[in-house]
Amino acid sequence: DEPALAASGGRRLEHLGYAVVTATSPADAVELVRAQPAAFDLVITDYTMPGFDGLELARRLTALRPDLPVLLLTGFIEELPASVLEAAGIRRLIPKPASLGQLAEATAAVLSGHRP
């Protein structure tokens, strides 16, 4: 939700060779996917955002495109039951702050179809 963090995260992913589109609000992310659902291979989101949280974003995105993998960055890993994550369409949790290595591993694993 913070432009500087979105830009930094985008640059990190571009450094790994990915094409990146960033959004700074969950509503904007939903509209991007609604407009071009096939254009996205993966969504990486924070848990805490204005408007609605990362779980709700995942629910809305997977309602638009059920096969769209979603990674959730959060500092609240122990508070999120696996059943809630799975129901929302979250494929993987990434603890914050995430290292480039953690982000690279999680992104590659989810894009190749591997579950934790």
Side-chain angles (χ1 to χ4, degrees):
D1 62 328
E2 296 179 37
L5 292 176
S8 173
R11 283 190 304 274
R12 292 171 77 189
L13 289 165
E14 287 169 344
H15 175 75
L16 296 171
Y18 297 106
V20 177
V21 175
T22 60
T24 56
S25 83
D28 290 346
V30 169
E31 289 310 310
L32 285 167
V33 173
R34 184 183 323 274
Q36 294 185 309
F40 298 93
D41 296 318
L42 172 69
V43 172
I44 301 174
T45 183
D46 196 356
Y47 176 73
T48 305
M49 296 178 292
F52 47 90
D53 65 28
L55 290 175
E56 182 60 24
L57 175 60
R59 287 183 195 104
R60 293 183 188 198
L61 294 176
T62 56
L64 293 170
R65 200 176 120 206
D67 65 328
L68 182 63
V70 180
L71 299 179
L72 182 68
L73 287 156
T74 182
F76 304 104
I77 289 177
E78 61 281 346
E79 298 174 21
L80 298 169
S83 60
V84 171
L85 298 171
E86 188 174 319
I90 304 294
R91 302 275 179 94
R92 179 77 71 94
L93 285 179
I94 303 172
K96 285 177 26 179
S99 70
L100 183 58
Q102 288 171 309
L103 190 59
E105 186 278 326
T107 300
V110 169
L111 287 173
S112 68
H114 291 104
R115 296 237 179 202

